[in-house]
Amino acid sequence: IIDRPPFYIISTWRENAAVFLAGAATGLMVWVTAFLLKQFIITPVFCRTADTTGICSSGDSITFAIATIAIAAGAVALLVRLDVFRPLLVVAATVFTLWNLPSHIGGIHQYAPTFEQIVWTVVLYALLFLVFSWIMRMRNFVISLVVAIILVIGLRLLLIR
């Protein structure tokens, strides 16, 4: 009798809680970094003349993209430190899913109170870190990658609507 390894690598509730909190911290840092970039770089530099109104008007998207890329690198390091299985794929799938989040949440980013913007960003990052870390625990790399890609595409389509 040959024992086969399980299809899925089991995780404890502590590991799941750590991943959830890492996602929440990442979401908060992305929002704070985007806010600071807009307040101290985009608005003062690009919102003074009529020539740069295009950059000024799309400042939310630009700063969110820059913040997402910058904080994602730190998130990968954090997940490596937490010993998460396939951390780069967890962060990449989350980033692809939430890319340009402000424009996809139907006006919440520009018109909602600041607290609501922060809550949505933090909760979505935390949940997606948890979901993708769960998917990446499948032993078969190809199956976990295909499931993650299907989920990213499906969630992107939901966000666009």
Side-chain angles (χ1 to χ4, degrees):
I1 298 175
I2 299 173
D3 283 337
R4 294 183 140 211
F7 176 73
Y8 180 76
I9 299 170
I10 304 299
S11 60
T12 65
W13 69 271
R14 285 182 187 225
E15 292 170 338
N16 290 334
V19 169
F20 185 84
L21 292 174
T26 301
L28 182 63
M29 290 302 300
V30 165
W31 190 90
V32 168
T33 304
F35 176 78
L36 292 175
L37 283 171
K38 185 172 183 193
Q39 292 299 318
F40 296 110
I41 295 176
I42 298 294
T43 301
V45 173
F46 295 107
C47 296
R48 291 185 174 190
T49 65
D51 296 338
T52 57
T53 56
I55 295 173
C56 185
S57 65
S58 62
D60 285 337
S61 297
I62 292 169
T63 57
F64 195 84
I66 293 169
T68 300
I69 292 168
I71 301 301
V76 171
L78 177 61
L79 292 183
V80 167
R81 178 105 169 119
L82 292 174
D83 203 25
V84 172
F85 198 57
R86 299 178 182 137
L88 181 60
L89 293 176
V90 171
V91 173
T94 302
V95 165
F96 291 148
T97 302
L98 296 179
W99 187 256
N100 205 9
L101 180 65
S103 66
H104 295 305
I105 300 185
I108 285 179
H109 189 70
Q110 290 191 344
Y111 305 111
T114 303
F115 179 74
E116 190 175 347
Q117 295 173 28
I118 296 169
V119 168
W120 274 109
T121 305
V122 168
V123 167
L124 286 173
Y125 267 90
L127 288 175
L128 287 177
F129 264 44
L130 190 60
V131 167
F132 286 119
S133 72
W134 179 76
I135 290 170
M136 291 303 155
R137 286 185 168 277
M138 293 180 200
R139 287 208 185 265
N140 189 323
F141 175 73
V142 174
I143 292 174
S144 65
L145 189 61
V146 167
V147 170
I149 289 170
I150 290 170
L151 188 61
V152 166
I153 292 169
L155 291 173
R156 289 291 297 174
L157 290 174
L158 281 176
L159 284 174
I160 290 172
R161 292 180 182 246

